[in-house]
Amino acid sequence: MPVPETVLVKEKAFAKKKIPIAHKQTRRQQQYFFITAGILFVICFMQIDLSFTQFQAGMARIPSVLEMMMQLSFAELPELASEMVVSLVTAFLSLVLSILFAVVLSFLAARNTTPNKYFGMLLRFLFMIIRAIPATVWVLIAVASIGFGTMAGVLGLIFPTLSYLVKSFSAQIEEVGQETIEALQSVGATWWHIVFRGLIPTLLTSFLAITAFRFEMNVAESVILGMVGAGGIGLLIQGYISFYDFSSLSLGIIMVFITMFTLEFMTNQIRRRMSH
Amino acid sequence: GCGTSSSSGSAKQSKFVIAYLPQETDEQMQKTYSNFEKELSEKIGMDVEAYQANSYNAAIEAMKNNKADMAMFGPFSYIVAEERAGAELIANLSNPALEGQAPSVIVVPKDSTIQSLADLKGKTIGFADPVSTTGHLLPKSTIVKELNMDVEELESKFFKSVQFAGGHDKALIGVVRGQYDAAGVSAMIPAMLEEKGVIEKDSYRVIAESEPIPVGAPFAVRGGLDQETKDKITEFLLSYDDSNYFKAILGTEDAKFVEANDSDYDELRDIAEMLNLSPEQLLEN
Amino acid sequence: MMNSILKVTNLVKRYNGGTLALKDINLEVKKGEFIAVIGPSGAGKSTLLRSINRLIEPTEGSIEFLDQRIEKANKSELRKIRSKMGMIFQHYNLIYRSSVLENVLHGRLGYMGSVAGVFNRYKEEDKQEAIMLLEKVGLEAEIYKRADELSGGQKQRVGVCRALAQNPELILADEPIASLDPKSSAVVMDAIYKNCKEQGIACLVNLHQVDVAKRYATRIVAVKAGTIVFDGQASELTEEMIEYLYEGKEQEMYESAN
Amino acid sequence: MMNSILKVTNLVKRYNGGTLALKDINLEVKKGEFIAVIGPSGAGKSTLLRSINRLIEPTEGSIEFLDQRIEKANKSELRKIRSKMGMIFQHYNLIYRSSVLENVLHGRLGYMGSVAGVFNRYKEEDKQEAIMLLEKVGLEAEIYKRADELSGGQKQRVGVCRALAQNPELILADEPIASLDPKSSAVVMDAIYKNCKEQGIACLVNLHQVDVAKRYATRIVAVKAGTIVFDGQASELTEEMIEYLYEGKEQEMYESAN
Amino acid sequence: MSARNKPSMNAVEMRRMKASLSVIFFALLILFSIWFVEMDIFELIQSMPIFFHFLFTDFFPPNISDLDTYIGPVVDTLIFAVVTTSLSSLLGIVIGFCMAHNTTPHPAVRIFFRGIIAFLRNIPFLVWASILVVIFGVGTMPGLFALVLFGTSFLARVYAESIEELNKEGVEALDACGASYLQKIKHGIMPQFLPSFYSWTLFMFEINIRASAILGLVGAGGMGSILKQTMDLFQYGKTSTIIAIMVILILMVEYVTNRVRERLI
Ligand SMILES: Nc1ncnc2c1ncn2[C@@H]1O[C@H](COP(=O)(O)OP(=O)(O)OP(=O)(O)O)[C@@H](O)[C@H]1O
Ligand SMILES: Nc1ncnc2c1ncn2[C@@H]1O[C@H](COP(=O)(O)OP(=O)(O)OP(=O)(O)O)[C@@H](O)[C@H]1O
Ligand SMILES: [Mg+2]
Ligand SMILES: [Mg+2]
């Protein structure tokens, strides 16, 4: 084949220099990210003092700690089981209540479905603040205002749950893109039609997946919340820890683990069934 | 259960809520004891619900909002509750075995060169928690008194740094594992951790003890409660002698309720003031 | 003028980025006309169609539809106008997790109140009508399937039915067969054409395939770089015109590849 | 037999679900042949192509390529065999976040040590070769663009270059133009055809468009329901044959729609 | 309607029945939960004024008198967040590749790591923190390990999920070119995976800032400790200052995340 002259000229140039192959911008950004991360890591790592002897001594202590953890006593089983139920219920109820609000709020907050640009922005900012407030603060306020008991845990969990759901839901809504919305706009549908007839059916699976994921997180969180006074298994576990009651602690850990594992398995099943 | 109705005092309330705050001297977890609740319920003619509260400020806030009617506090949390929530002391649950014993100790590692409090100069000290009576207030006041320094000087000049470990056990572990040069903790803790095998036997040494304070676990009620109920409860508590209850609540059968007076806590208030932790100072903002 | 249903006058569209996608477009559509819009990629065909039902806000000019000014309509007027204009999309834009029938019934939403539409209260005669439409395009066996279970050609026929369910005066179709294989394309184009003819619906259809455009359209509009460069009968569209229409970037690439 | 490069004997493919996608296929490809495989949707065209380079494991039968038995090859032998067989996909299957040049260079991976390829050490002459290929298909201006910035036709030309970069003896193309508009289709088919001819590469290309198949192929293989029902020159492919080949489900739909 | 529709109608009815059954099941579950927690809507509504009164009078206005003393803990938190995010993303990516079914070297490896990660993730964090304290003492080291454990278990999972979601077509093409396992990872998976890698890693950074409470649990300081301290001392105004600082930090991370996404995806 006839080789164009330009190619021949270039070929000579190639001989001297290595030919770059990557997409420049992508590569540069990649380099920025990793170099920045690397430098930050090195600087920060030098700031924290870690002693190797402490590490060594700790590693040497692991067998004996494991040995302590190996003890198992079933004395506390009934109590652990009933408090586990409390934690599960707390997680479940706060999730259910959050979903009710989250579905509407996320459509108001998502960039492509918000009725008003500034209102959406305000809503997103508000939820970011709510997200920044730790669950412990919410529980404190909840206990203080409605008193002790599971309901306080539910109320305290609603806020972090709601803000998480709104964030994830609206990200999903923004991702479905314009196509679905346009289809219904073009038949003269209202905002409500678009949301309920178009977007919710389309997004149902991903909403459910997010919800399932969040349920796991909520159970984990409600376990921790027990530790700040909202009842549930966390309260017991906290007690075992502070009195180094290893045999009951191990049982508690096993119980939480089995519950969480079962939940993860179940939500995966649901997700798989929904997604086809 | 969501506490009592929010209308204060005067309205007829049908539910009586007790909150138990964790005690620093316990050796085991509190358990609520239903017999106690039943008997109290008969006495005052209201349903009684009891909760373990893990967070002491939540309990105090709940009492402030009429969501808790009685609570078993720790000494420091009581004086704060008195200021913040208008809690009224009605009895002390005291453990005779502990009477006259030092409530807190200051410990150093076994082979440390530190022999006295004065040797702590330029060292790192760990406490349990800023609001802990025996894990912060008492040991720190001991140091202040012994060295005759004011707190600011102590914190900024004398020590290299003052740390809060987040618990008596952690403060002690911090000493034994070498992160702190010394720690002030409840006197009960070292023996317990030794017994549980968390720290090695004889791995620490006590260099100072704080003076006993004449207080137990204060039981206080919400100020807005009507006088009749308050009296009934006081009467009920002082005559209560079910050892199972004491075992459940404090882990020892030998405890008993004794009459208490708010002025018993003045000494602690002085200490708190000295350490800039008096309730008035805390609550001004 | 009597039976003109759509009149686009001096339409200009400038995108936010600054692209001048449409420059002074004038177009009149009469009742029952079947118009193919052709032109190279990026000419502004989609922009033109979407400006007509205001999925895109026109920058300047007026669009008159059944004596109403679309570009001036408020929200609820716009809804009413849109309910009289069906749209068929290149990527079907169905709600894939809803049934075929539901998708067709969406065409009726514009005639319903917000609340009725949300709670599934379609009228029985609407449902019958929708089923009849589906039978007409050969989808009677798929009525209760979920839309994502269909093949491309079937999906597009559902899209056609949805547009027809609106009882529109005008159908806008943006490259309805671009994602389909030749056989399905024929089925879909036939379905659009036949139904528009039967019911006297005007149709404005963007097409890439000039041969298809010539086969169906009563009138062809050729757009290039935001301007109408040809507007006339299929028979009047000369080879030179087509040549001129499509020459440009792709063409250059084509030549350099040979 | 001398210049036969691929020999498929009694090939059977049964999918896990039980679908018998290929029943006893026999096919021989000679050096430099340009063979179009046509047939209705679901006939087994893709399965046939993918069995040849074992992207799908054949169930029975033998596949001989340059005197090697593909179905018996172990992992590293298979790598070597595959490096001599280019593949072009309907959906281009590019790595969209890599540059065009990188995508073409991927064709060289089969010739590199498995570690060398990890650290980006393409040889300079490979790079030059890749750039030359890209220039040949008119993409010299796009070399350093990211693959997702290209139009469909451009993407497919990158796919063609990747296959050519392998210096293959055989190119397998699975509906390379099904996702393209007519103009891009022509550019891509030309690019495949010209390069195969010039370099004597044999090519097996699945096509939906019978007219395109007839235009390019030296030989046409028609597959229906997993069996080869026609194998001969383009001129021998009668209208009846085509009719017979495509009759079936889609056809029924087409008729019921009319 | 014609008879032909009958079977599909049944399928629809089946689907409907299943749907209504699960709705009933969930309704029962909700009713049970409401009964279990003794939810009293009336009381809940009555409590709302207290709730908001508490939130808006006690926490406002933020008290910034001790702002200078927060600098140290904020810097500590950031330092910890950087170090632990880096370490856990490093560990997470290796484990994530082993866990994703399309990149795992062997199914057994995949199951092994899935098990380990599930175990790490599902045990309450306080438990890990306490065990680490017993092992290493208090302060930096247990704090670091606690956050790395937490981060790794989170990241390994989400990385694996993102890897599994990548489009297979490109990788299939590399297969057809005769690429080896490592080559496929480097040239096929990595370029596609990087965008989700960036956003998850930055999200982890944000979580680590908020999770600095864990540090307080093991006596390693950080913003979490001040948060707890100010709350314990009823200095809610200072608590909200800390929260405001956290909001600002999170906003910054989110800004960076968005910028990175915009440019990279
Ligand atoms: N949302 C948008 N923002 C900015 N510019 C746009 C937008 N949509 C389209 N354009 C630009 O407007 C011009 C016309 O685009 P349009 O989509 O109308 O062309 P088209 O004729 O439909 O092309 P195709 O045949 O490729 O669909 C193009 O230059 C395009 O880049
Ligand atoms: N992964 C798979 N598992 C099970 N069955 C499959 C799989 N892939 C294809 N099939 C079935 O094998 C048969 C042949 O499919 P194949 O994709 O080879 O057809 P094709 O001729 O390429 O069709 P098209 O023109 O639509 O691409 C079909 O019945 C199809 O449903
Ligand atoms: Mg277009
Ligand atoms: Mg195929």
Side-chain angles (χ1 to χ4, degrees), chain D residues 15-17 19 21 39-48 174-175 206 208:
Chain D
Y15 279 108
N16 279 340
T19 317
S41 190
K45 307 183 294 294
S46 301
T47 308
L48 172 59
D174 193 2
E175 298 182 16
N206 283 355
H208 258 135

Side-chain angles (χ1 to χ4, degrees), chain A residues 64 67-68 71 240-247, chain B residues 25-29 169 172-173 176-177 187-204 247 251, chain E residues 134:
Chain A
S64 67
E67 196 182 314
M68 287 191 278
Q71 307 158 355
Y240 302 146
I241 289 176
S242 48
F243 300 106
Y244 292 94
D245 182 355
F246 286 108
S247 48
Chain B
T25 51
D26 286 359
E27 285 185 33
Q28 69 159 60
M29 237 173 98
D169 52 338
L172 183 61
I173 290 174
V176 172
R177 301 274 186 270
M188 318 285 297
I189 294 294
M192 181 193 104
L193 290 191
E194 240 176 26
E195 190 214 330
K196 303 277 182 184
V198 177
I199 58 173
E200 293 75 25
K201 281 231 170 328
D202 297 325
S203 50
Y204 65 93
K247 174 97 183 140
Chain E
V134 174

Side-chain angles (χ1 to χ4, degrees), chain B:
Chain B
C2 307
T4 58
S5 83
S6 57
S7 54
S8 68
S10 59
K12 195 93 188 107
Q13 89 179 55
S14 60
K15 211 162 54 173
F16 188 84
V17 177
I18 308 175
Y20 293 105
L21 270 67
Q23 298 297 300
E24 296 167 5
T25 51
D26 286 359
E27 285 185 33
Q28 69 159 60
M29 237 173 98
Q30 296 159 350
K31 301 225 166 77
T32 53
Y33 184 60
S34 56
N35 262 353
F36 176 82
E37 291 152 34
K38 212 187 294 162
E39 285 171 40
L40 180 61
S41 167
E42 279 161 18
K43 180 88 180 175
I44 59 174
M46 283 185 246
D47 290 339
V48 174
E49 286 174 5
Y51 295 95
Q52 293 161 253
N54 255 21
S55 136
Y56 96 114
N57 59 331
I60 292 172
E61 296 292 356
M63 185 171 267
K64 177 168 173 258
N65 291 323
N66 305 328
K67 298 295 178 184
D69 300 292
M70 180 165 85
M72 178 179 78
F73 292 107
F76 180 68
S77 49
Y78 164 67
I79 61 171
V80 176
E82 194 261 336
E83 178 79 18
R84 172 97 180 159
E88 276 181 26
L89 184 63
I90 55 170
N92 254 343
L93 181 56
S94 86
N95 184 352
L98 296 180
E99 216 132 281
Q101 286 198 4
S104 320
V105 290
I106 292 169
V107 295
V108 294
K110 174 86 181 160
D111 43 12
S112 165
T113 55
I114 300 169
Q115 300 298 336
S116 69
L117 291 180
D119 295 340
L120 289 175
K121 186 170 171 57
K123 304 288 185 192
T124 298
I125 189 164
F127 292 108
D129 201 293
V131 293
S132 166
T133 317
T134 54
H136 183 212
L137 271 80
L138 297 182
K140 202 187 232 175
S141 76
T142 305
I143 300 172
V144 168
K145 282 181 199 152
E146 175 88 22
L147 299 176
N148 206 7
M149 254 180 244
D150 70 45
V151 196
E152 262 113 60
E153 199 185 337
L154 189 74
E155 287 189 350
S156 58
K157 299 225 183 79
F158 183 71
F159 288 120
K160 184 173 160 210
S161 80
V162 176
Q163 306 266 338
F164 293 105
H168 296 265
D169 52 338
K170 287 171 190 146
L172 183 61
I173 290 174
V175 164
V176 172
R177 301 274 186 270
Q179 285 89 43
Y180 302 151
D181 298 311
V185 294
S186 158
M188 318 285 297
I189 294 294
M192 181 193 104
L193 290 191
E194 240 176 26
E195 190 214 330
K196 303 277 182 184
V198 177
I199 58 173
E200 293 75 25
K201 281 231 170 328
D202 297 325
S203 50
Y204 65 93
R205 179 156 47 84
V206 175
I207 58 163
E209 292 184 338
S210 57
E211 281 172 24
I213 46 166
V215 290
F219 271 59
V221 293
R222 180 163 68 81
L225 223 52
D226 57 295
Q227 195 56 45
E228 192 195 337
T229 315
K230 285 183 198 165
D231 293 342
K232 276 188 194 163
I233 299 169
T234 318
E235 193 185 321
F236 173 81
L237 289 182
L238 292 178
S239 63
Y240 197 77
D241 60 356
D242 186 343
S243 60
N244 287 331
Y245 174 70
F246 300 128
K247 174 97 183 140
I249 293 295
L250 276 193
T252 165
E253 295 181 4
D254 300 327
K256 62 176 191 293
F257 283 109
V258 296
E259 274 186 60
N261 202 320
D262 182 60
S263 59
D264 298 348
Y265 290 86
D266 287 346
E267 194 181 330
L268 187 63
R269 289 194 175 95
D270 293 339
I271 290 175
E273 191 165 353
M274 182 174 79
L275 303 180
N276 298 331
L277 281 171
S278 74
E280 294 82 4
Q281 283 165 314
L282 294 187
L283 300 177
E284 76 195 14
N285 42 13

Side-chain angles (χ1 to χ4, degrees), chain D residues 50 53 55 79 82-83 85 89 91 93-95 97-98 106 109-110 112-114 117-118 120 122 146 162 166, chain E residues 167 169-180 182-183 186-188 191-192 194-195 198 263-265:
Chain D
R50 283 156 178 272
N53 66 356
L55 283 181
R79 258 193 84 194
R82 280 179 176 167
S83 67
M85 265 193 226
F89 299 83
H91 296 115
N93 294 22
L94 303 181
I95 306 294
R97 295 187 35 83
S98 297
H106 289 161
L109 286 176
M112 297 166 75
S114 63
V118 172
N120 251 348
Y122 294 110
R146 234 165 62 174
R162 177 175 61 194
Q166 289 181 247
Chain E
N167 101 18
E169 296 185 333
V171 186
E172 188 179 41
L174 292 197
D175 241 332
C177 294
S180 67
L182 287 177
Q183 287 171 345
K186 157 81 192 184
H187 296 283
Q192 300 187 65
L194 277 176
Y198 296 130
R263 310 172 103 207
L264 294 175
I265 293 181

